[in-house]
Amino acid sequence: MPPARKFPSWTLVLAVCAVGIGGTFQYGYNVSIINAPTQHIHRFLNETWSSRYHKELNPDLLTFLWSVIASIFSLGGLCGALIGGSMAIQLGRKGALLLNNIIAIVASILMGISFPTGLFELLIAGRFLIGINSGIGLCVQPLYIGEVAPKHLRGSMAMGSSIFLTGGILTGQIIGLRELLGGETYWPVLLSSSCFPAFAQLLFLPWFPESPRYLLIDRGDELSCAKALKRFHGSSEYQREMEDIQRECFALEGEKPRKPWQLFTDRGVRWQLITVIVMTMGQQLSGINAIYFYATYIFEEAGISAEKIPYVTLGTGACECFTALTCGLLIDYVGRRCLIIGGYLLMTLWSIVLTFSLTYQELYPWVPYVSMASIFAFILSFGLGPGGITNTLTAELFIQSSRPAAYMIGGTISWISFFTIGMIFPFIVNGLKQYCFVVFLTECSLVAVFLFFVIPETKNKSFLEIKKEFHKLNFGRNTRKKETELYERQQFHDEFKKNSV
């Protein structure tokens, strides 16, 4: 058999782009664009309330309505995460992504017509629906990419999710500038612009095959699986991937896709599930939100005028996008374990530096520049570690029958953590000020220690080989007999194939 191809085929690269533009790109884009029109939406709420009820909107009620508009996105994301795995099983990975775009288009229409109709309720409904769209996309897109990529390129291909997510954030920051769609006149157009990535995916994704693993293992369609693999890897190299999928299919013995609650009672995936929960919570609670919260203050202290701060903030988005691309280049050479543990340790270091620099911000004129450099260093560390690796590992730690349920659990934990940190973060900052980073550096160091002792290196390993690595943690000494039985069954299956040929 010829050696594995060093670079992915163009079909594979374009397929990643087709799923990314309507998947994690939508999440990053919609998280980003809501910041630019904040003051315009406040004015819209005041004017709508005055014309409807002929009295001024109470400031507390205004704050509440704005909080609902901002936070209901997270509630929608949670709902999307809860149904994303089931959609991926029932409709296929590709089918779920295509249907998801209809939700995005409806959401865009509702947000776009909220201003001309004077109904802020439509804005709330639109944000909820676009949250559902983002939750489904964050669940299904990494699932699709993780299943179509060959194992020696799985890390770099899976980084497509992070690349498109950070690309969405950066695009939203650019489009949201007041010179473009961030002004008072065009903010409804800005919020409704989410339909364009949806239309792009509806146009391009149908040209690419369904996930080969889904076709063979879930649907039992070997012919369609072979055709899809030939499209992705070429006629000369698809056989290697076909054998790997058949081996996993044989090991599953016809096991049906599992429900999320079944994973909690299965000892065979106990430590994989704990790892995903720790990584997902660690990613959201790492302090990245605190970094963005303090960014404007630190930039002002460094002497940057308020008018120019939005343009400097673009640098943070560009920094995230750059690190996602860098991580994509490094992940299959350095390995997942080194990058994610190293990322958390570096974030711990920069949290310590930020705690001291913010404490002594006014003592020396050069200290604000140390704080500013630490912000970019923290973002770089986040992108190279938890920001890029978490989704990749979630796909790799589970076999086909458990993977959709694992993404549903991981997505649910992620959205709950996202919502929780959004609610309690202002109180943490108000209570602890710059010392809030002590909380985050403690969390980052604890996650790094956990991953050091638990997670194995998954680079260049099949899903079955990774599962075997966790057997020692899940079953202890009892794993030897199970490994022997599995090995003997695989040997019998390979011998049967040779004889049949």
Side-chain angles (χ1 to χ4, degrees):
M1 187 175 290
R5 186 186 300 198
K6 192 174 182 180
F7 300 103
S9 66
W10 277 109
T11 303
L12 201 53
V13 172
L14 293 175
V16 171
C17 294
V19 297
I21 193 65
T24 51
F25 182 91
Q26 282 280 34
Y27 168 75
Y29 186 72
N30 284 285
V31 164
S32 181
I33 60 173
I34 195 64
N35 296 319
T38 300
Q39 297 303 319
H40 309 315
I41 293 175
H42 282 184
R43 194 174 297 112
F44 165 60
L45 291 171
N46 275 315
E47 292 172 354
T48 302
W49 194 270
S50 297
S51 63
R52 188 183 297 181
Y53 301 107
H54 307 292
K55 62 180 181 179
E56 291 294 318
L57 179 59
N58 183 282
D60 292 334
L61 185 55
L62 173 62
T63 303
F64 172 75
L65 288 175
W66 169 246
S67 299
V68 171
I69 291 170
S71 61
I72 202 164
F73 176 79
S74 302
L75 182 60
L78 176 60
C79 295
L82 289 171
I83 65 174
S86 299
M87 288 177 64
I89 294 168
Q90 298 298 324
L91 305 173
R93 286 47 166 155
K94 177 180 166 183
L97 288 169
L98 289 173
L99 181 62
N100 194 32
N101 292 301
I102 306 301
I103 301 174
I105 293 169
V106 173
S108 299
I109 293 172
L110 292 177
M111 290 187 287
I113 65 175
S114 62
F115 179 71
T117 58
L119 296 170
F120 60 80
E121 293 87 353
L122 295 181
L123 183 56
I124 295 173
R127 286 289 292 174
F128 177 72
L129 288 177
I130 203 66
I132 293 177
N133 168 268
S134 299
I136 294 171
L138 280 173
C139 177
V140 182
Q141 182 197 327
L143 199 58
Y144 179 90
I145 295 176
E147 291 179 359
V148 302
K151 66 180 180 181
H152 66 286
L153 294 172
R154 194 166 56 227
S156 56
M157 298 299 293
M159 280 303 301
S161 297
S162 295
I163 291 169
F164 275 92
L165 191 154
T166 55
I169 292 174
L170 180 59
T171 304
Q173 289 174 337
I174 294 171
I175 300 296
L177 292 172
R178 58 179 176 271
E179 292 84 356
L180 297 175
L181 297 181
E184 186 173 3
T185 306
Y186 298 110
W187 70 264
V189 180
L190 174 65
L191 295 183
S192 62
S193 61
S194 303
C195 65
F196 292 109
F199 282 126
Q201 187 170 78
L202 285 172
L203 180 63
F204 296 115
L205 185 56
W207 296 96
F208 297 96
E210 177 58 91
S211 160
R213 286 182 182 274
Y214 172 78
L215 290 171
L216 180 60
I217 299 176
D218 291 271
R219 290 287 180 86
D221 191 345
E222 190 167 348
L223 182 61
S224 296
C225 174
K227 287 181 179 178
L229 287 171
K230 287 178 182 178
R231 285 279 308 278
F232 283 129
H233 307 295
S235 299
S236 60
E237 298 191 20
Y238 86 97
Q239 192 62 40
R240 179 187 289 104
E241 295 301 318
M242 188 71 176
E243 290 175 359
D244 186 48
I245 297 173
Q246 288 174 331
R247 196 174 294 115
E248 185 176 349
C249 184
F250 177 75
L252 286 169
E253 294 182 313
E255 183 181 348
K256 298 294 182 184
R258 312 188 72 185
K259 305 296 183 184
W261 54 86
Q262 292 177 315
L263 297 192
F264 286 102
T265 59
D266 184 1
R267 187 177 176 183
V269 295
R270 177 184 297 171
W271 280 99
Q272 293 97 309
L273 194 58
I274 293 172
T275 302
V276 166
I277 292 172
V278 170
M279 287 193 304
T280 304
M281 291 184 67
Q283 184 186 39
Q284 290 294 342
L285 307 178
S286 62
I288 191 68
N289 297 304
I291 289 293
Y292 285 113
F293 180 87
Y294 271 103
T296 300
Y297 164 71
I298 291 170
F299 293 153
E300 287 175 350
E301 290 295 312
I304 299 169
S305 63
E307 295 78 16
K308 293 181 180 178
I309 283 178
Y311 304 97
V312 179
T313 304
L314 288 178
T316 60
C319 185
E320 272 202 276
C321 201
F322 171 76
T323 53
L325 289 166
T326 305
C327 189
L329 296 174
L330 292 175
I331 188 171
D332 284 319
Y333 292 95
V334 178
R336 289 74 154 144
R337 177 181 162 86
C338 177
L339 285 174
I340 193 167
I341 295 174
Y344 275 113
L345 291 176
L346 285 173
M347 288 160 66
T348 303
L349 170 65
W350 297 120
S351 294
I352 295 171
V353 174
L354 271 168
T355 301
F356 281 102
S357 62
L358 289 171
T359 301
Y360 302 107
Q361 187 86 348
E362 299 176 359
L363 192 60
Y364 301 103
W366 49 267
V367 174
Y369 297 99
V370 174
S371 301
M372 192 162 64
S374 298
I375 280 182
F376 285 98
F378 191 100
I379 294 170
L380 280 166
S381 304
F382 177 82
L384 285 172
I389 309 297
T390 302
N391 267 334
T392 304
L393 282 173
T394 303
E396 292 182 329
L397 297 186
F398 295 89
I399 56 176
Q400 187 77 9
S401 59
S402 304
R403 199 173 297 121
Y407 266 105
M408 290 172 69
I409 294 170
T412 301
I413 296 294
S414 179
W415 285 102
I416 291 174
S417 301
F418 182 73
F419 178 78
T420 302
I421 196 68
M423 294 297 292
I424 67 172
F425 177 69
F427 299 101
I428 295 175
V429 173
N430 290 335
L432 299 177
K433 305 299 181 184
Q434 70 272 19
Y435 297 107
C436 68
F437 285 101
V438 175
V439 176
F440 299 127
L441 72 88
T442 303
E443 188 267 352
C444 287
S445 58
L446 289 175
V447 173
V449 171
F450 172 86
L451 295 176
F452 178 82
F453 285 106
V454 172
I455 195 167
E457 180 53 69
T458 60
K459 181 180 71 172
N460 291 334
K461 291 179 181 177
S462 69
F463 295 123
L464 286 177
E465 289 170 334
I466 297 168
K467 181 183 178 183
K468 184 179 176 181
E469 291 275 356
F470 274 95
H471 273 184
K472 298 169 187 176
L473 281 172
N474 291 325
F475 296 104
R477 294 180 179 179
N478 295 332
T479 189
R480 184 180 297 276
K481 184 178 178 181
K482 293 179 179 290
E483 288 176 1
T484 304
E485 290 175 356
L486 180 60
Y487 175 77
E488 289 174 352
R489 281 165 42 210
Q490 288 176 350
Q491 289 292 102
F492 174 79
H493 176 255
D494 292 341
E495 190 66 28
F496 178 78
K497 276 188 62 183
K498 289 178 183 178
N499 294 334
S500 62
V501 172

